[in-house]
Amino acid sequence: MPTYVYKCPKCGKFEVVQNMNDKRLETCPTCNEKVKRLISGGLGVIYKTDGFYITDSKNDKSDHAAS
Ligand SMILES: [Zn+2]
């Protein structure tokens, strides 16, 4: 399952493991502030599952993220 990174204004960044079909979080589970989901450059992190890796476009960002 993918891990999503959210940012809460109070708690800072936190990660949530969610199903692809799950709704994104609107509020922080800890303090109920509104959170933003970060679309970070770390796609490699989000989809780092054994045997499954998106490498359609070589030498795109995935190279840095992968190491
Ligand atoms: Zn919070």
Side-chain angles (χ1 to χ4, degrees):
M1 268 192 277
T3 303
Y4 295 103
V5 180
Y6 290 88
K7 187 174 181 194
C8 169
K10 284 192 183 168
C11 310
K13 288 187 198 172
F14 61 96
E15 294 183 357
V16 182
V17 178
Q18 289 185 292
N19 218 311
M20 298 261 244
N21 300 323
D22 282 356
K23 272 204 250 170
R24 52 187 284 176
L25 289 186
E26 297 285 339
T27 55
C28 176
T30 306
C31 68
N32 251 19
E33 285 288 326
K34 279 210 165 179
V35 294
K36 276 192 180 172
R37 190 162 89 182
L38 301 185
I39 318 280
S40 66
L43 282 182
V45 177
I46 295 176
Y47 288 108
K48 206 192 299 180
T49 330
D50 282 346
F52 176 65
Y53 206 70
I54 303 174
T55 42
D56 279 347
S57 49
K58 285 188 182 177
N59 68 30
D60 221 52
K61 303 158 194 171
S62 43
D63 273 350
H64 318 264
S67 80

